[in-house]
Amino acid sequence: MAGMRKQPQRTCVGCGECKEKRELIRIVRTPEGVFTVDFTGKANGRGAYLCRNGGCLEAAMKNHGLERSFHQAISPEDMEKLRKELEAG
Ligand SMILES: [Zn+2]
């Protein structure tokens, strides 16, 4: 039965909890270097995961979890863009 299969798990870069992938939202850096919220989970590029609540984006800003995942600094403008995309989604 398909439902018995173990779901893939990912770690939220905000709170550090390991959860099923479907409970998380994917942040992706596209090959063009643009940070965006990947609502399909299928966009090309390097990804990091956050819980589907605004709090973990805030936490990831404070603990630099996203920067660690992407190995680069993320500008406040990019963070604000991600926050808006998350709120809109
Ligand atoms: Zn989280």
Side-chain angles (χ1 to χ4, degrees), residues 13-70:
V13 296
C15 63
E17 276 184 45
C18 200
K19 297 194 174 185
E20 286 186 12
K21 217 172 150 184
R22 64 182 176 190
E23 292 179 46
L24 300 166
I25 197 89
R26 186 167 180 253
I27 307 296
V28 72
R29 185 183 64 206
T30 69
E32 292 77 33
V34 177
F35 290 96
T36 187
V37 179
D38 174 19
F39 289 105
T40 68
K42 292 177 178 131
N44 279 328
R46 187 177 184 84
Y49 292 85
L50 286 171
C51 298
R52 290 176 179 274
N53 65 55
C56 284
L57 180 63
E58 299 288 336
M61 288 178 182
K62 291 200 181 85
N63 71 14
H64 303 288
L66 281 174
E67 275 110 330
R68 269 203 304 279
S69 290
F70 291 110

